[in-house]
C-alpha cells in the first residue's frame, strides 16, 4: 500500500514579498541583533531561514490533491492565511523587540502571543519569566506595537508597489494623548527622540508641564504646526491658567462667558 505524503506549505504557497521585506530589514539592523556582535562568515538571513524551515514542516491545508475531503478552495485558502498569520506575528514581534530595545532602559524583552497580547519577559536561569511591567514600560510597549504595525504597512506598500485595500494606512496620522504623562526624565527624552520616527505625521496632545524641558528640546525642531486648546469652564471660581510659548502668553483655562462648557482651538505660527 502506497503511503500518501501530504504536500508541505512551501510546495504550494509562500508569502515571498513579506519574507523579502523582513530579510531586507534584518540586513540593515545595526544594533540589538546577534549578527552585529561579529562579522559572521557565510551569514544567512534569519527571517528567510525561519520562513523556509516553518513552511517545510507544516502541511499545506489544501491536502494531497489541492483540497481535503469536504474542503473547498476558499476554505483551503483561508487556512493558508492562518498559517501566514503566524509568520506575520513573528515579523511583528521582531519589530516590537527592536523598537522597544531602542527606547527602554531595561533588559526586558516583549513577546507577542497568538491573541496579539504583549507581555514583557525576563531571562532568568535559562527560563523566560513574565515581568510585572510598570506604567511607563506599558506605555513604551504600546508605542512599540503601534510603530511596528505602521512600519510593516510601509514595507508592504513599498514591496508590493501598491496599497492595501482602502485609504493608504501608512499615511494615517498617529495621534498620541499625553504620551509623556507617567514617564521620568530619561524615558521622556527617549520617547521624544523616537516618537517622530514612528509615522509620517504625529499629533501629540500634551499639557504645558509635559511639553517642557527635554520633550520640547528634542521635538521643537520637528514641529510643523502648533495649537493651543483653551478650556472655558462654567464654574465662576475657576483659576485662570496660561502658557508662555516663544515669549507670547496663551490662555489654557478661564471662566466661561456664559453657562456653557466648551473648548476653543487656536493655531499658532510655525514654531510658536
Amino acid at each position: 500500500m502506497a503511503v500518501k505524503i501530504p504536500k508541505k506549505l512551501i510546495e504550494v504557497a509562500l508569502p515571498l514579498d513579506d519574507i523579502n521585506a523582513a530579510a531586507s530589514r534584518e540586513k540593515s539592523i545595526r544594533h540589538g541583533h546577534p549578527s552585529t556582535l561579529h562579522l559572521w562568515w557565510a551569514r544567512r538571513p534569519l527571517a528567510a531561514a525561519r520562513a523556509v524551515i516553518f513552511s517545510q514542516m507544516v502541511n499545506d491545508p489544501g491536502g494531497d490533491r489541492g483540497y481535503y475531503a469536504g474542503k473547498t478552495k476558499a476554505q483551503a485558502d483561508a487556512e493558508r492565511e492562518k498559517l501566514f498569520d503566524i509568520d506575520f506575528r513573528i515579523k511583528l514581534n521582531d519589530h516590537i523587540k527592536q523598537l522597544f530595545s531602542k527606547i527602554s532602559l531595561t533588559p526586558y524583552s516583549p513577546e507577542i502571543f497568538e491573541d496579539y497580547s504583549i507581555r514583557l519577559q525576563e531571562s532568568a536561569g535559562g527560563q523566560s519569566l513574565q515581568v510585572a511591567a510598570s506604567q511607563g514600560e506599558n506605555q513604551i510597549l504600546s508605542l512599540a506595537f503601534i510603530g511596528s504595525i505602521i512600519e510593516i504597512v510601509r514595507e508592504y506598500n513599498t514591496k508590493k508597489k501598491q496599497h492595501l485595500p482602502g485609504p493608504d494606512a501608512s499615511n494615517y496620522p498617529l495621534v498620541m494623548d499625553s504620551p509623556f504623562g507617567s514617564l521620568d526624565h530619561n524615558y521622556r527624552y527617549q520617547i521624544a527622540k523616537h516618537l517622530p520616527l514612528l509615522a509620517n505625521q504625529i499629533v501629540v496632545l500634551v499639557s504645558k508641564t509635559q511639553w517642557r524641558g527635554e520633550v520640547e528640546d528634542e521635538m521643537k525642531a520637528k514641529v510643523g504646526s502648533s495649537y493651543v486648546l483653551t478650556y472655558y469652564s462654567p464654574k465662576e471660581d475657576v483659576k485662570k491658567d496660561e502658557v508662555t510659548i516663544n515669549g507670547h502668553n496663551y490662555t489654557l483655562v478661564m471662566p466661561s462667558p456664559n453657562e456653557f462648557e466648551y473648548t476653543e482651538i487656536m493655531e499658532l505660527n510655525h514654531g510658536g
Side-chain angles (χ1 to χ4, degrees):
M1 177 180 178
V3 178
K4 290 187 176 180
I5 301 177
K7 286 185 176 181
K8 299 297 181 181
L9 181 64
I10 195 172
E11 300 179 75
V12 180
L14 205 58
L16 294 178
D17 289 330
D18 293 335
I19 295 172
N20 290 338
S24 176
R25 185 174 187 275
E26 179 185 271
K27 187 176 180 181
S28 63
I29 296 175
R30 294 294 177 264
H31 302 285
H33 195 275
S35 64
T36 63
L37 298 176
H38 179 71
L39 182 60
W40 301 96
W41 296 335
R43 176 186 164 195
R44 299 292 183 264
L46 299 181
R50 283 198 308 266
V52 169
I53 293 172
F54 175 78
S55 59
Q56 285 178 331
M57 297 176 63
V58 177
N59 292 338
D60 175 60
D64 182 33
R65 297 182 180 178
Y67 316 103
Y68 284 124
K71 182 177 293 188
T72 65
K73 181 179 183 300
Q75 289 172 331
D77 290 340
E79 291 293 328
R80 292 190 186 102
E81 288 300 322
K82 290 181 180 179
L83 294 175
F84 294 159
D85 180 64
I86 296 176
D87 178 71
F88 173 79
R89 285 204 311 273
I90 293 174
K91 181 167 63 173
L92 179 61
N93 200 41
D94 288 343
H95 279 258
I96 293 173
K97 284 184 176 181
Q98 291 162 20
L99 186 53
F100 183 85
S101 66
K102 290 179 181 178
I103 303 176
S104 176
L105 305 177
T106 68
Y108 306 146
S109 177
E111 292 290 339
I112 186 168
F113 293 83
E114 187 173 350
D115 60 353
Y116 284 86
S117 62
I118 311 177
R119 303 170 198 165
L120 278 183
Q121 306 289 121
E122 180 182 20
S123 180
Q127 292 184 331
S128 182
L129 304 176
Q130 184 174 348
V131 176
S134 66
Q135 187 174 357
E137 288 164 344
N138 280 326
Q139 202 159 337
I140 296 172
L141 267 180
S142 299
L143 283 174
F145 180 80
I146 295 170
S148 298
I149 290 179
I150 293 174
E151 181 61 27
I152 288 177
V153 172
R154 283 176 177 166
E155 291 179 357
Y156 181 92
N157 288 339
T158 300
K159 292 296 179 180
K160 290 281 190 178
K161 292 183 173 52
Q162 61 185 22
H163 298 309
L164 294 171
D168 182 5
S170 65
N171 289 325
Y172 282 160
L174 174 60
V175 182
M176 305 297 298
D177 187 5
S178 301
F180 309 100
S182 58
L183 303 176
D184 60 17
H185 168 82
N186 290 326
Y187 276 147
R188 279 165 56 87
Y189 169 77
Q190 287 290 94
I191 288 187
K193 178 181 178 181
H194 291 92
L195 188 60
L197 306 177
L198 297 185
N200 295 333
Q201 182 182 11
I202 309 288
V203 179
V204 181
L205 304 175
V206 292
S207 66
K208 65 178 182 181
T209 55
Q210 292 175 10
W211 178 251
R212 289 172 179 167
E214 58 279 346
V215 174
E216 182 178 8
D217 294 341
E218 189 63 33
M219 297 186 65
K220 187 175 181 180
K222 304 178 179 71
V223 173
S225 299
S226 301
Y227 302 84
V228 169
L229 278 66
T230 302
Y231 171 68
Y232 291 86
S233 172
K235 296 183 178 180
E236 296 181 358
D237 59 346
V238 66
K239 186 178 179 180
K240 190 175 180 180
D241 190 16
E242 294 183 341
V243 63
T244 302
I245 303 176
N246 290 347
H248 299 282
N249 293 331
Y250 299 95
T251 303
L252 296 178
V253 179
M254 66 182 302
S256 174
N258 48 55
E259 71 275 17
F260 300 107
E261 174 193 29
Y262 60 97
T263 300
E264 286 184 346
I265 302 177
M266 179 193 305
E267 182 176 4
L268 309 183
N269 294 330
H270 178 71

